[in-house]
Amino acid sequence: WNSNGVTILNSSQVRHPASIYLDASDTLYATDETRHVVWKFSKNDFNPTIVAGLLSVPGSNASQLLHPRDVDVDRNGNIYVTD
């Protein structure tokens, strides 16, 4: 992780972070209940990516989330989201 305190997401991007998960590779995952997504922050990377959900598009189909609350990742990289 960058020790200089660089902002990689600000309040205009993440509205309501509900939970975070840090895996064995120091990759950080964060759920955002209001934006309906799960963000992935790789170590030493300044460009987070959305790995689940569609930004600001709530729903109940296979590609959408509705207020994701928790995230977990297993040792094979499978992502589990409580929605």
Side-chain angles (χ1 to χ4, degrees):
W1 289 98
N2 188 315
S3 61
N4 295 327
V6 175
T7 301
I8 53 177
L9 280 178
N10 61 42
S11 61
S12 70
Q13 294 166 296
V14 176
R15 296 265 170 87
H16 188 224
S19 69
I20 60 170
Y21 179 84
L22 187 65
D23 72 10
S25 302
D26 290 335
T27 300
L28 179 72
Y29 297 83
T31 60
D32 187 341
E33 283 190 278
T34 305
R35 292 289 182 129
H36 313 288
V37 295
V38 176
W39 293 95
K40 177 182 175 182
F41 308 87
S42 298
K43 186 176 182 179
N44 297 321
D45 190 0
F46 296 101
N47 299 308
T49 57
I50 294 172
V51 294
L54 299 172
L55 188 61
S56 297
V57 182
S60 60
N61 72 35
S63 65
Q64 296 173 305
L65 297 172
L66 180 62
H67 307 296
R69 304 211 183 227
D70 200 9
V71 62
D72 195 2
V73 181
D74 68 17
R75 61 181 165 196
N76 296 318
N78 298 307
I79 300 170
Y80 300 91
V81 179
T82 304
D83 186 28

